[in-house]
Amino acid sequence: AQRVTQPEKLLSVFKGAPVELKCNYSYSGSPELFWYVQYSRQRLQLLLRHISRESIKGFTADLNKGETSFHLKKPFAQEEDSAMYYCALSAMDSSYKLIFGSGTRLLVRP
Amino acid sequence: DVKVTQSSRYLVKRTGEKVFLECVQDMDHENMFWYRQDPGLGLRLIYFSYDVKMKEKGDIPEGYSVSREKKERFSLILESASTNQTSMYLCASKVPGTGVVNEQFFGPGTRLTVL
């Protein structure tokens, strides 16, 4: 079964602390993995994707096929990082539909 | 800059009413999607469309139908609204393909309340 699991509903950290949002997936084959973010009163938008192997707003995520994980990390959290984060997996058939995790709300306190 | 718009930001309807949610995208995308977003459940796919007049059921299609008569417009229809359809509805679009083009662009959402 195709599934994305985000075990934490809420992650609260202080400004400047490291952040790791966990994501595990279940998929037969080689998926494409994404992190989407939704800031308060804004639309859902792509943060980063595993194939790009880039850092966006200081966030990185490495695909670990052995552990079927795609955790999102940032060494020093900022207050503006407070948002809802969704890990998603793209079906590699012609639908390209996204399978989302349940989301983790990140709260960065001053 | 891709723009996906949804006809209403907030909508209040009564049980049993027929409800139309409209989504329009201006980037000539073939693929369009309707999700509902609920706390603790994330986003769940209701229906998607490969192209004009083509549609496929997603994971939770019961109680919903869709229409795609024009490429830019994808409508979600609640034939007889029920209280358990109270939710945030998100529309998205993308071009077909994987890799760097595999990004869905989302609308601002419609918060539907069914009384």
Side-chain angles (χ1 to χ4, degrees), chain A residues 19 28 30 58 60 63 68 76 85 91 99 101-102 106 109:
Chain A
V19 168
S28 56
S30 295
T60 59
L63 180 61
T68 59
F76 307 104
Y85 291 81
I99 298 156
S102 54
L106 175 63
R109 293 180 287 173

Side-chain angles (χ1 to χ4, degrees), chain B residues 84-104:
Chain B
N84 62 14
Q85 292 179 309
T86 292
S87 186
M88 174 69 88
Y89 290 86
L90 299 182
C91 175
S93 73
K94 71 180 292 292
V95 295
T98 60
V100 293
V101 301
N102 196 2
E103 175 181 355
Q104 290 195 17

Side-chain angles (χ1 to χ4, degrees), chain B residues 7-83:
Chain B
S7 51
S8 305
R9 196 63 202 267
Y10 299 94
L11 210 51
V12 180
K13 296 291 181 181
R14 298 211 172 270
T15 301
E17 280 193 78
K18 191 168 186 176
V19 182
F20 293 87
L21 303 183
E22 304 285 339
C23 174
V24 177
Q25 50 91 7
D26 66 358
M27 284 300 289
D28 205 34
H29 286 172
E30 286 84 355
N31 298 151
M32 295 189 75
F33 307 82
W34 273 107
Y35 297 90
R36 63 176 283 176
Q37 182 182 29
D38 299 288
L41 296 176
L43 279 77
R44 292 176 293 167
L45 182 65
I46 305 171
Y47 266 96
F48 60 97
S49 171
Y50 295 101
D51 209 329
V52 178
K53 297 192 187 298
M54 299 176 74
K55 56 189 178 186
E56 292 284 340
K57 292 180 180 179
D59 300 315
I60 52 164
E62 295 78 20
Y64 304 94
S65 62
V66 290
S67 173
R68 184 106 181 263
E69 296 297 317
K70 291 186 177 182
K71 193 172 188 179
E72 68 270 20
R73 187 180 300 269
F74 191 35
S75 303
L76 180 69
I77 304 154
L78 286 68
E79 296 290 342
S80 177
S82 63
T83 55

